[in-house]
Amino acid sequence: MSEKSNQNGQGVPSSTAPTVMAYRDAPTRTVDVGDVTYAYRELGPKGGIPVVFLVHLAANLDNWDPRIVDAVAAHRHVIAFDNRGLGATTGSVPTDVEAMTRDAVAFIRALGYQRVDLFGFSLGGMVAQELVVRHPELVRKLVLTGTGPKGASMDAVSRVTFYDIFRGAITRSDPKEFLFFGRDAQGRGAAREFMRRLEERSDRDKAVSLPAILRQLKAIKAWGRSAPHDLSTVRQPTLIANGDNDRMVDSALSGELQRRIDGSELIIYPNSGHGGIFQYHEKFAPALVGFLADSGEEL
């Protein structure tokens, strides 16, 4: 395993680099694990249990809302990464969530961490669930947003994704404006603001290819058609959040997650869709920070 920085081909090792507090300034680093080179960014104060961000379908490192990342990084060490075959990470995208999870575990352990907090959005939330079920010792706290449980139908994801990619193409808009937000005035305004925030960084990640997206969609469909997890075994404090009108992963599935995970908290934002946490980032970010705050309790 080796580690290096990719920003302008230069950089110092992660352990000695100055602390970065803004996501737009975080250099893209890499770590080699077997035959895969993982690209990642880290920021916030070093030490303690880090918060690992697991990103959504068709996304790379550039797709995290900096207002949410920076809010967490003001208090905690944050790590975001491209899983296998996405962005600047090498290899081929797995066609099942279980393999994506094995890669995530390999990445986390390669950085030397034995325990983390997980923040998963959409597909990332599926990986987070698989990870906490298979490796409960690795997870302290769990955040699941815009996602649903294994065994709940996810067939709508492909249909909505292709439809909104088409709508984006004919309107010369980013598909995320349709996928994540409503089309009323409030939703359109939130979409424009979100896209502006994503453009704050000048050093960009490698684009995600269509074949990679198709492989992710295959994994999501298989996840929805698999035998469900027994989520009653999850003992980690869990925060669940979504918009009230998620066209990709039905908002009702967030309620189903809450029912299956004992003691979990649920936040549903009004008049919002799959990207409800981005539309309401001013409310979600402090709620997330509060949830992730150290309580002094050990599982």
Side-chain angles (χ1 to χ4, degrees), residues 14-217:
S14 172
S15 58
T16 59
T19 299
V20 176
M21 300 304 294
Y23 192 55
R24 67 182 181 185
D25 300 325
T28 301
R29 304 185 183 282
T30 60
V31 60
D32 297 328
V33 187
D35 61 347
V36 179
T37 298
Y38 290 90
Y40 71 100
R41 295 172 188 160
E42 59 181 340
L43 66 159
K46 301 291 180 64
I49 296 174
V51 183
V52 177
F53 281 47
L54 303 169
V55 78
H56 60 86
L57 167 73
N60 60 19
L61 287 168
D62 295 335
N63 289 109
W64 282 114
D65 190 330
R67 297 300 178 271
I68 294 175
V69 178
D70 292 354
V72 177
H75 307 273
R76 299 285 301 282
H77 188 53
V78 170
I79 300 169
F81 75 105
D82 287 329
N83 213 332
R84 183 190 296 256
L86 299 171
T89 293
T90 63
S92 181
V93 173
T95 55
D96 59 272
V97 172
E98 294 80 3
M100 296 176 184
T101 303
R102 291 193 293 272
D103 289 338
V105 171
F107 168 77
I108 290 167
R109 289 181 171 162
L111 293 187
Y113 295 108
Q114 301 302 315
R115 210 166 193 211
V116 299
D117 289 346
L118 288 179
F119 173 29
F121 173 57
S122 193
L123 174 57
M126 300 172 199
V127 174
Q129 291 174 64
E130 191 74 28
L131 199 158
V132 76
V133 168
R134 291 178 177 267
H135 300 279
E137 77 288 348
L138 191 58
V139 183
R140 188 192 67 143
K141 291 187 177 183
L142 183 65
V143 181
L144 304 173
T145 62
T147 195
K150 190 174 188 178
S153 176
M154 300 290 170
D155 290 359
V157 175
S158 293
R159 173 178 51 79
V160 172
T161 297
F162 289 129
Y163 178 57
D164 286 352
I165 287 175
F166 173 74
R167 289 206 289 176
I170 63 175
T171 60
R172 298 184 179 181
S173 305
D174 191 294
K176 288 189 289 296
E177 296 187 36
F178 300 94
L179 290 165
F180 289 179
F181 302 94
R183 303 313 296 158
D184 61 2
Q186 181 182 357
R188 290 196 301 270
R192 288 192 297 270
E193 292 174 6
F194 174 69
M195 296 307 303
R196 281 195 291 266
R197 295 197 298 273
L198 295 189
E199 294 298 324
E200 291 176 356
R201 183 186 178 95
S202 58
D203 176 29
R204 310 298 292 178
D205 196 3
K206 181 181 177 182
V208 177
S209 68
L210 180 58
I213 296 171
L214 294 175
R215 292 176 70 84
Q216 287 183 308
L217 288 170

